[in-house]
């Protein structure tokens, strides 16, 4: 499927519309009227902020915030109680970074470390051959960064932040495991069931 998408992209490398010129024209027209809200008249920034606020507010009222991020981490290899796992995050040259920062704040999690080369949006995606985190090699830079900073977990979005990759480093062997989408979904589903589903009045008795 991804190869087919890539082939279609290669067949349409010449933009149908010169969006760079169109955007610059819109910037000039909007600024000439004395306004500059970051949207250049293409949308209402206040509406965008309001929708984002409502989204994070809904998260905080969802019951998903359990405070688990502050629970001491039990290292089974030596029995010591330590800090929660350190997390490295990559936006993969996309728009996900500010949203991920606010999500971590909403869940009361310690701040993650950011892969600096992939933090800011860049349509050329200079550090990866193909900017989808599930592609082979796409997490190499993240793994090197995470290992250098003693991080246990990698979270990576694709450029428009609608895909998520997760990888975990074994503290004993130092090897990384990259989870499939099915594995991530299973772990999330299991966590939601164990923490919310069992006590929900919306769950039928046959599932309890």
């Amino acid at each position: 499927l991804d190869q087919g998408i890539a082939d279609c992209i290669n067949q349409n490398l010449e933009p149908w519309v010169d969006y760079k010129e169109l955007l610059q024209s819109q910037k000039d027209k909007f600024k000439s009227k004395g306004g500059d809200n970051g949207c250049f008249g293409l949308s209402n920034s206040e509406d965008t902020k309001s929708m984002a606020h409502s989204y994070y507010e809904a998260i905080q009222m969802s019951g998903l915030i359990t405070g688990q991020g502050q629970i001491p981490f039990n290292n089974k290899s030596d029995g010591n109680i330590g800090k929660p796992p350190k997390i490295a995050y990559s936006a993969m040259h996309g728009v996900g970074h500010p949203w991920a920062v606010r999500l971590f704040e909403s869940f009361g999690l310690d701040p993650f470390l950011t892969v600096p080369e992939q933090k800011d949006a860049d349509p050329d995606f200079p550090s990866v051959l193909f900017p989808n985190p599930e592609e082979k090699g796409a997490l190499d830079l993240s793994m090197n960064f995470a290992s250098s900073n003693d991080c246990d977990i990698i979270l990576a979005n694709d450029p428009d932040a609608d895909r998520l990759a997760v990888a975990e480093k074994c503290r004993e062997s130092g090897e990384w495991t990259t989870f499939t989408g099915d594995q991530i979904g299973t772990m999330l589903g299991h966590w939601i069931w164990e923490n919310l589903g069992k006590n929900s009045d919306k769950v039928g008795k046959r599932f309890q």
Side-chain angles (χ1 to χ4, degrees):
L1 179 60
D2 282 346
Q3 185 59 51
I5 294 173
D7 291 341
C8 288
I9 292 172
N10 288 329
Q11 294 168 13
N12 295 274
L13 294 178
E14 187 70 29
W16 296 350
V17 178
D18 190 340
Y19 288 104
K20 184 177 181 180
E21 180 179 338
L22 182 64
L23 178 59
Q24 187 59 53
S25 173
Q26 189 69 18
K27 286 181 181 179
D28 295 340
K29 179 174 33 177
F30 191 68
K31 288 184 177 180
S32 69
K33 297 179 181 179
D36 185 4
N37 66 356
C39 295
F40 309 111
L42 297 172
S43 64
N44 188 314
S45 63
E46 293 305 314
D47 287 346
T48 301
K49 291 177 183 178
S50 177
M51 286 188 288
H53 177 74
S54 296
Y55 172 70
Y56 291 108
E57 191 175 58
I59 289 175
Q60 292 175 324
M61 298 173 61
S62 66
L64 294 173
I65 299 176
T66 62
Q68 285 187 327
Q70 302 306 316
I71 298 174
F73 178 71
N74 183 6
N75 187 347
K76 294 183 179 181
S77 63
D78 57 19
N80 291 329
I81 303 297
K83 296 180 180 180
K86 289 176 65 177
I87 296 175
Y89 171 79
S90 171
M92 203 69 71
H93 301 295
V95 300
H97 183 265
W99 299 89
V101 169
R102 192 165 174 186
L103 275 173
F104 268 59
E105 292 173 350
S106 297
F107 277 93
L109 300 172
D110 291 337
F112 53 74
L113 299 181
T114 303
V115 180
E117 298 90 342
Q118 299 176 337
K119 174 184 176 183
D120 298 322
D122 186 337
D124 293 324
F125 313 117
S127 70
V128 290
L129 292 176
F130 203 77
N132 278 336
E134 69 269 25
E135 292 291 330
K136 184 177 180 180
L139 294 181
D140 288 354
L141 186 61
S142 296
M143 289 178 179
N144 290 335
F145 173 82
S147 295
S148 298
N149 289 275
D150 297 321
C151 295
D152 305 282
I153 294 173
I154 294 171
L155 302 178
N157 284 131
D158 69 330
D160 61 352
D162 66 349
R163 299 189 191 188
L164 174 70
V166 180
E168 181 181 22
K169 184 179 182 180
C170 175
R171 290 187 172 183
E172 295 180 356
S173 68
E175 295 182 357
W176 285 96
T177 296
T178 301
F179 299 104
T180 67
D182 288 344
Q183 290 171 325
I184 295 170
T186 298
M187 289 187 286
L188 290 174
H190 176 74
W191 184 90
I192 290 174
W193 171 254
E194 290 295 324
N195 288 274
L196 300 177
K198 286 183 174 181
N199 300 317
S200 174
D201 58 4
K202 297 180 181 180
V203 179
K205 291 187 180 297
R206 64 192 179 95
F207 294 110
Q208 294 177 326

